Amino acid sequence: MSVAVEPGVRPQWTRLGNPVAAVYGALVLLLVLGSVLVAMRGGVLLDQGGILNILTRSTALGLVAIGQTMVILTGKLDLSVAYLIGLCSLIGAETMAGDPGMILPAVLLTLACAAGVGLLNGLVVAKLKVNAFIATLGTALIIRGYLENGYTGPSGQVPRVFQHLGYDRIGPVPVSALLMLALAGLAWWFLARTRPGYHLYAVGGDEEVARFSGIRTDRVVITAHVLCSVAAGLAGLFLASRLGSGAPWVGTDAGYDLESIAAVVLGGTLLAGGRGGVAGTIGGVLILATLDTTFDELGVTPFFKDVVRGVVLIVAVALYARRRMRR
């Protein structure tokens, strides 16, 4: 027996609720505190340069985190995104080879390869019933082996016109950040206003109940992994536009696998799935970017940066858990 779901009706847990309000409230407090601390050292956090820095840091992580949100909502996760970003940056840059006429073919080929990796992840998880942690870690190791064997450094060349994606801005706002926010809006609409988006929540809430309700859970899980990998492919193209070439370790050096998971969880999405959304994820991304920018302005050591970020993540998750227990 199947359960009819109206695409236009948003599931209750997709509405802006306490976790989303909390994460943006924390972002405002962090901006105020960071501005005070930087001002005490004679600097300005939220001048044009500081805003540009925060938004630029947010773009690549935001793209990956949007895709990671899709997977985590189903109760899974994807650890292959960091290596996939490096691979996609190389595919894009090597295909373009400095030729503006090859930009569109390169973008399409890059996203197709990313989707293929996501399809592989989804099939292994959904059809072979391999735990998503192990399946995507295995994919990450395969990609790492290819990168280590085939590359020792940057490769390919991005045409100058494509670099406008990474560097152009409207006032203090990078064009790439606007595109990232547009993708976030599209993802919000998909989750909140469409039947496939509802199915992601249903599978994450209880996969067995979703199956008995007539939802093709395997297809939902595969779709989530494909969307996640395509988002990582977009991040790879963006970073290639910033660097001017592909770089095999551009994703792993920034730790986008764990960083994206941290941003999603910080934004109030449950790792167990079924509750959360993209609105909170973007807030989590902005918090992490603001922390990094503030620490750079203050000259904080990398060790202390990681300690503070870890404490912030643990405190946030503990507060979310306590709120759920009260409910």
Side-chain angles (χ1 to χ4, degrees):
M1 180 181 68
S2 62
V3 176
V5 179
E6 293 296 332
V9 178
R10 292 174 58 189
Q12 183 178 359
W13 48 83
T14 67
R15 298 171 187 163
L16 290 181
N18 288 336
V20 176
V23 74
Y24 283 98
L27 174 62
V28 171
L29 290 176
L30 179 61
L31 288 170
V32 172
L33 178 60
S35 297
V36 171
L37 292 176
V38 172
M40 291 173 63
R41 293 177 60 93
V44 180
L45 177 64
L46 295 180
D47 59 1
Q48 181 168 326
I51 294 173
L52 177 64
N53 197 5
I54 292 172
L55 293 177
T56 301
R57 289 175 183 269
S58 300
T59 301
L61 178 57
L63 291 170
V64 186
I66 290 168
Q68 193 75 256
T69 302
M70 302 291 181
V71 175
I72 292 179
L73 283 174
T74 65
K76 319 296 182 186
L77 51 79
D78 191 337
L79 294 179
S80 67
V81 290
Y83 289 103
L84 181 58
I85 288 171
L87 176 63
C88 287
S89 74
L90 290 165
I91 293 173
E94 289 182 342
T95 305
M96 292 179 198
D99 182 3
M102 291 300 294
I103 290 177
L104 180 59
V107 170
L108 295 177
L109 177 61
T110 300
L111 297 183
C113 292
V117 172
L119 179 62
L120 174 63
N121 284 335
L123 289 172
V124 172
V125 173
K127 299 298 184 182
L128 300 183
K129 305 303 179 185
V130 178
N131 182 276
F133 180 95
I134 300 301
T136 57
L137 178 60
T139 301
L141 294 176
I142 292 172
I143 297 174
R144 186 181 76 173
Y146 171 75
L147 294 176
E148 289 180 346
N149 183 66
Y151 298 93
T152 57
S155 179
Q157 183 181 359
V158 172
R160 182 173 297 275
V161 65
F162 191 70
Q163 294 185 39
H164 289 303
L165 172 65
Y167 288 96
D168 280 9
R169 63 179 187 264
I170 301 175
V173 182
V175 171
S176 55
L178 294 176
L179 294 176
M180 182 269 292
L181 292 175
L183 180 64
L186 181 62
W188 177 88
W189 172 83
F190 172 78
L191 291 171
R193 301 298 185 189
T194 70
R195 184 168 300 182
Y198 176 88
H199 290 172
L200 286 179
Y201 284 101
V203 170
D206 193 314
E207 189 167 350
E208 287 300 315
V209 172
R211 183 180 295 111
F212 288 137
S213 298
I215 296 174
R216 302 181 67 173
T217 57
D218 287 355
R219 177 180 294 182
V220 172
V221 171
I222 292 171
T223 298
H225 278 284
V226 170
L227 292 175
C228 181
S229 293
V230 169
L234 290 172
L237 289 170
F238 164 70
L239 292 172
S241 75
R242 292 280 300 177
L243 298 173
S245 64
W249 315 122
V250 68
T252 54
D253 286 348
Y256 285 123
D257 44 5
L258 299 182
E259 287 278 301
S260 62
I261 295 172
V264 174
V265 174
L266 192 59
T269 297
L270 297 183
L271 270 177
R275 190 178 295 270
V278 175
T281 294
I282 297 302
V285 168
L286 290 172
I287 285 177
L288 294 178
T290 301
L291 280 173
D292 283 343
T293 302
T294 303
F295 289 151
D296 288 346
E297 292 288 338
L298 296 176
V300 174
T301 63
F303 170 76
F304 188 69
K305 287 183 185 180
D306 290 337
V307 170
V308 173
R309 288 155 68 92
V311 170
V312 168
L313 181 61
I314 291 172
V315 170
V317 174
L319 291 175
Y320 293 151
R322 186 174 181 180
R323 182 179 294 113
R324 289 196 303 272
M325 289 177 64
R326 287 178 175 176
R327 289 178 179 175

